[in-house]
Amino acid sequence: MNKSKILLVGISILIISGLCFLYFSGDESTTKEIPNYQYQIDDSRVVTYDAGDKRWDITALEILVPKSEEEKSKKVILSDIQKGQLFKNNKAKYDLDAEKIIYFKEKKDITLKGNIKLKEISGEEIETEELDWIDKRKEFVSKADVNVKFKDGNLFAKKMRMDVENNIIDFSGEVEMEFDLKGDGNDEK
């Protein structure tokens, strides 16, 4: 009976040791790189207002705060955006998807980065890799390639400036437009 207890304790120690080894020796390729930030807040929602009206409502997996006091006072970085919306007159105007958002506190400007999709509630969608929100002018500016999907076609441009308040969009740099044309009374496209 003593042999069986010793054997059982030995097996238990081996199992616990094996589990500890597996837990602490995780695959380095799947471990997340540690950013140079003081702290991060997970599963966060940021809502901003402009003169009492809701402007942005963004839910992100992480909020990263820079280590240095100078950088901390200047910007907040949201990573892995889960849901984002831009409002006009307290109504959602655009849905937003991006990998990262950098919010500059002093000017209230925003830089969006990585796989950006800005979809107007009416259905038009803008895709780009980098997009800046200039709060003072209430406009989006992109110096990266832009693809805009309309109901009846697509537009491609090297640059874009969009005045959100006045619904004016200016495209420049090798602008191309593809139209979906339909014939009258038949199935031609």
Side-chain angles (χ1 to χ4, degrees):
M1 190 163 184
N2 283 338
K3 281 186 172 183
S4 62
K5 284 185 182 180
I6 293 173
L7 185 61
L8 186 60
V9 169
I11 292 173
S12 297
I13 290 173
L14 283 174
I15 291 173
I16 292 172
S17 299
L19 290 174
C20 288
F21 175 77
L22 288 174
Y23 179 77
F24 290 112
S25 68
D27 185 88
E28 288 185 25
S29 65
T30 61
T31 58
K32 195 172 185 179
E33 183 179 320
I34 298 173
N36 188 22
Y37 296 103
Q38 182 175 358
Y39 59 89
Q40 68 187 43
I41 303 168
D42 294 333
D43 298 327
S44 304
R45 182 174 174 212
V46 175
V47 180
T48 64
Y49 296 88
D50 182 30
D53 289 339
K54 191 181 214 179
R55 176 55 81 181
W56 291 94
D57 188 345
I58 301 168
T59 303
L61 282 182
E62 300 176 312
I63 295 180
L64 307 171
V65 181
K67 282 185 177 181
S68 78
E69 289 299 319
E70 182 181 349
E71 287 296 308
K72 189 188 316 183
S73 67
K74 291 181 182 178
K75 63 185 175 183
V76 175
I77 302 168
L78 300 140
S79 181
D80 297 324
I81 309 309
Q82 299 299 296
K83 180 183 177 187
Q85 289 185 309
L86 171 64
F87 290 77
K88 181 179 176 185
N89 300 326
N90 278 326
K91 293 181 183 174
K93 178 144 175 88
Y94 292 96
D95 287 329
L96 166 72
D97 188 17
E99 291 176 10
K100 186 184 286 187
I101 295 176
I102 303 169
Y103 175 67
F104 298 92
K105 295 177 182 181
E106 186 176 313
K107 291 184 177 184
K108 298 180 183 175
D109 291 346
I110 294 174
T111 295
L112 307 150
K113 292 187 176 198
N115 296 321
I116 300 160
K117 291 182 183 175
L118 189 65
K119 184 174 183 180
E120 191 169 15
I121 299 302
S122 66
E124 297 166 359
E125 184 175 315
I126 298 169
E127 295 178 351
T128 187
E129 285 300 311
E130 189 163 331
L131 187 63
D132 294 316
W133 167 257
I134 312 300
D135 192 67
K136 184 177 181 179
R137 299 188 311 242
K138 306 296 187 242
E139 68 182 23
F140 283 107
V141 177
S142 179
K143 295 178 184 172
D145 291 349
V146 177
N147 179 21
V148 182
K149 296 178 182 178
F150 296 102
K151 184 178 180 181
D152 297 325
N154 293 328
L155 183 139
F156 306 93
K158 293 287 183 186
K159 297 179 183 179
M160 177 195 75
R161 174 170 259 121
M162 180 172 53
D163 181 338
V164 173
E165 297 295 313
N166 298 307
N167 293 323
I168 298 171
I169 303 176
D170 179 28
F171 297 101
S172 60
E174 301 177 31
V175 179
E176 296 178 21
M177 181 76 181
E178 293 178 358
F179 293 98
D180 293 332
L181 300 175
K182 296 180 182 177
D184 188 31
N186 57 36
D187 292 337
E188 286 183 23
K189 286 189 177 184

